[in-house]
Amino acid sequence: MSDTSVSFVTLDELMAAAPRSDGPVLVDRDHALTRDDLDAAVASAAADLVDRGVGRGDRVAWQLPNCVDAVIWTRACWRIGAIAAPLHHLAGASEIEHHLAVLDPTAILGPPPPKSSDSCRSGGIAAISARRVAGEGGSPEDDLAVVLFTSGSTGSAKAVLHTHRALVYKSQLMCDVHTLGPTDAALVPSPIAHISGMLNAILVPGAAGMRVVLMEKWEPGRALDLIEEHQITFMIGPPTQFIGLMDHRAFTPERVASMRVISTGAMGVSPSFVERASDAFGAHVKRAYGSTEAPTVTTCHADDPPERSATSDGRAIGDAEVRIVDGEVWVRGPELFAGYADPAQTAEVMRDGWFRTGDLGVLDDGRWLRITGRVKDLIIRAGENIAPAEVEAVLELHPSVAQAVAVGYPDDTYGERVAAFVVLATTAEPAADAAGGSGVFDVAACREWFAEQGVARFKTPERVIVLDELPVLGIGKPDRARLRRLAADLSTG
C-alpha cells in the first residue's frame, strides 16, 4: 500500500492548498518572499504568459541558475496548464541548441538562448502534449507538467516527460517519508533543471508549505551560514557537498544543530561517510536511489534499522516496486516518467510498465536495494565482470581514502584492467606517484588492502591515481567517461 494518497489533480492545486507558515518561504541571495509575495508573483507571471499567447500544453523554456524567478516561472506554467522546461544554467550553446530543437517552445523567457533550426525539430513533445490535451478524457492530471533533460557522460541528453499525476504523487509521498511540514526549511544547491532540484526546491516545499533556500552555486562556507541563519532541517545532495561542509574550517556541530534529515546519493556512499556525517550533523543520514525518470524510488525511513541507512540505498517507498533482472534494476510505480520525447528511446527502456534503469544492483534480504554500478560501466577483465561500486566500497574503507571511483582502461592482454582514482582523507600524508612507491596510498598499499579485505585479486586496482578532487557532472555524479579517458591516456603515456 502507498504511504500517502493523492488528493489533488494538478500541482497548482496541490500548492495552493499547502499549509501556511510565517516568514519567508522562498529565499535566494537577493530575495526573501513570503507566501503572499510568492502567490502574487506566480499570478502575475501566469498572466504575462497568457498575454504572450501561452496556453495549456505549450512548452515554456528558460535558462537560469537557482533563483526565485526559476521557481515563479515554473509554478506560473502549472497555473495555466503549460509545460515548464528549465534548462541547465551551465549548458553550452550546442547543448541548448539540441534542447530547443527537441522542445520547439512556444515561449523562451529571459535572454533568448541560441535558436534551433527547423530541420532539427523532433516534434516528439508536440505530439505527446497534444495527445494529453486532446485525448480521451483530457484530464489535467495527465497533462505534462515538466520536461527535464538528463545529464550524462556520453550521447545527447534525453528529454524526460513528467505528468501532474506523477509529480503530485511524488511530492506528497516525499513529504510523508521525510515527515516534512511548514516548520521545516530546506537548503537546495542542486539546479532546478535537474530532478533533485525540481523535487526539493519546488515540489516538496510547495506541498509542505515549508521554507526553501536556494543556492546559485555550491560554496561550503556560505552553506554553513545559510544553515545556521535559516535553521535548515533538510538537505539532499551528493557526499562531496557534506564532506565540504564537515571539512570547512568554520564547521562546528552547533552551527548545524538544526539539521534533521540528510539524504544523499549520486556517487557511491560508503558506510564510513554515513557514520561520520551522522555524528557531525546529529541528523538522520541515509542513502537514496532514483533518477530523472523515476525520482526517489528507494530510501530509508527514520525508524528503519540504522545499519540499512549506511549499507543500502533503502527500500521501495509508496507504491514503487523494484526487481532485479539479470543484475539490472527494474522499477515501476506512480512516479515513473511518461516517456522520453523520442518514442523510440522510450521503447528501449520500458517493458510491460517496468523501467529498465541501466543500473546494476542487488536486493539484500529481498528488500534492501544496493546499487553496484551501471550496466555500461562494468569493467570486464579477462572475461570477469567487475562492478565499479564494489571496488569503490573497498577503497573507501581504507582510512587514507575519502572518495574513490573505479574505471576500466584498455589492455591488450586482459581487455581491461582496473584503475582507481582516489581523493585522500584530510588526515592522510602526501601520496606517492600513481605508478607505485612508498606513499600513503599507492598501488602497493592498495594491493595489500584488498588482500586484507579478502577481495579477489582480479578486482584489485592495478593503477592508482590520486586527485585533489574528482571531476563530476551536474548533480554530483562522477564523470566516469572523463576518468576512463584519463586512465587510458596514462596507460599509453
Side-chain angles (χ1 to χ4, degrees):
M1 294 296 291
S2 171
D3 294 332
T4 189
S5 60
V6 175
S7 54
F8 301 96
V9 172
T10 69
L11 289 162
D12 186 56
E13 291 178 341
L14 173 70
M15 295 179 185
R20 300 188 72 87
S21 58
D22 297 329
V25 296
L26 180 59
V27 178
D28 67 9
R29 186 179 289 272
D30 301 314
H31 306 87
L33 304 186
T34 65
R35 176 70 173 272
D36 288 341
D37 294 333
L38 179 57
D39 290 345
V42 170
S44 177
D48 182 56
L49 288 174
V50 172
D51 288 343
R52 295 177 186 227
V54 177
R56 183 179 174 194
D58 289 332
R59 281 81 63 205
V60 181
W62 60 84
Q63 187 180 24
L64 283 175
N66 279 5
C67 61
V68 298
D69 281 346
V71 176
I72 291 166
W73 287 351
T74 301
R75 292 187 55 170
C77 286
W78 298 338
R79 175 69 54 87
I80 64 172
I83 303 167
L87 307 178
H88 198 292
H89 65 292
L90 297 179
S94 63
E95 295 170 296
I96 295 299
E97 177 87 8
H98 165 74
H99 297 347
L100 294 181
V102 172
L103 287 169
D104 189 17
T106 300
I108 299 174
L109 305 179
K115 297 181 71 66
S116 60
S117 61
D118 290 341
S119 61
C120 294
R121 293 176 180 171
S122 70
I125 292 179
I128 291 176
S129 62
R131 184 168 69 250
R132 299 272 174 195
V133 172
E136 292 98 16
S139 172
E141 63 190 310
D142 291 321
D143 281 359
L144 294 181
V146 169
V147 180
L148 298 175
F149 287 89
T150 59
S151 61
S153 55
T154 60
S156 296
K158 298 176 181 177
V160 179
L161 316 178
H162 276 288
T163 65
H164 284 267
R165 182 195 295 272
L167 295 180
V168 164
Y169 169 82
K170 186 86 282 181
S171 302
Q172 292 184 294
L173 177 62
M174 298 317 297
C175 289
D176 180 73
V177 168
H178 293 134
T179 61
L180 296 171
T183 60
D184 284 295
L187 179 65
V188 182
S190 180
I192 288 171
H194 284 147
I195 189 62
S196 179
M198 176 64 63
L199 188 63
N200 298 297
I202 303 179
L203 294 168
V204 171
M210 60 190 281
R211 177 178 304 180
V212 60
V213 180
L214 303 174
M215 292 191 72
E216 182 174 325
K217 64 179 181 179
W218 177 247
E219 299 172 304
R222 175 160 171 74
L224 283 172
D225 292 340
L226 293 172
I227 290 170
E228 187 173 30
E229 177 185 353
H230 294 281
Q231 292 295 284
I232 298 297
T233 61
F234 173 66
M235 183 176 166
I236 289 181
T240 49
Q241 292 179 347
F242 299 106
I243 291 171
L245 289 173
M246 292 186 289
D247 288 346
H248 196 276
R249 62 184 181 278
F251 178 87
T252 65
E254 292 75 24
R255 297 193 69 188
V256 297
S258 60
M259 295 287 279
R260 185 171 60 82
V261 179
I262 291 175
S263 189
T264 187
M267 298 175 69
V269 187
S270 66
S272 60
F273 164 79
V274 174
E275 180 180 0
R276 181 191 176 196
S278 298
D279 291 342
F281 290 96
H284 179 209
V285 180
K286 61 196 180 68
R287 290 156 57 168
Y289 170 71
S291 63
T292 308
E293 297 89 344
T296 316
V297 290
T298 71
T299 192
C300 286
H301 293 250
D303 57 355
D304 284 333
E307 64 272 17
R308 296 297 186 182
S309 293
T311 61
S312 81
D313 295 289
R315 57 184 171 91
I317 55 175
D319 290 330
E321 298 176 75
V322 177
R323 70 182 186 185
I324 308 298
V325 180
D326 296 329
E328 183 182 20
V329 180
W330 290 23
V331 302
R332 70 178 178 185
E335 58 271 89
L336 274 189
F337 70 141
Y340 298 116
D342 183 346
Q345 292 176 336
T346 307
E348 290 178 2
V349 299
M350 296 303 299
R351 294 292 184 275
D352 299 323
W354 290 88
F355 170 53
R356 300 177 55 182
T357 66
D359 291 313
L360 297 168
V362 295
L363 287 173
D364 293 330
D365 296 331
R367 186 183 187 196
W368 304 94
L369 180 65
R370 184 161 46 85
I371 299 298
T372 59
R374 290 283 293 172
V375 171
K376 66 181 180 181
D377 289 333
L378 270 180
I379 302 167
I380 304 177
R381 184 188 188 279
E384 297 284 357
N385 290 345
I386 303 170
E390 181 181 359
V391 178
E392 291 157 9
V394 177
L395 286 165
E396 290 180 352
L397 287 173
H398 194 283
S400 295
V401 176
Q403 298 171 267
V405 172
V407 299
Y409 65 94
D411 180 78
D412 291 339
T413 302
Y414 295 103
E416 283 187 301
R417 293 180 185 263
V418 182
F421 290 86
V422 301
V423 175
L424 297 180
T426 54
T427 55
E429 298 174 2
D433 180 82
S438 58
V440 67
F441 195 78
D442 54 21
V443 171
C446 181
R447 187 179 299 121
E448 181 180 355
W449 178 252
F450 272 65
E452 289 179 9
Q453 302 305 307
V455 180
R457 179 67 180 267
F458 72 85
K459 298 180 182 179
T460 302
E462 296 167 270
R463 182 175 292 279
V464 175
I465 302 99
V466 177
L467 301 176
D468 291 333
E469 61 181 8
L470 297 172
V472 295
L473 299 169
I475 58 171
K477 295 179 181 179
D479 191 343
R480 293 182 183 274
R482 181 177 172 186
L483 293 175
R484 279 193 293 267
R485 290 193 298 270
L486 178 56
D489 290 344
L490 289 171
S491 69
T492 58

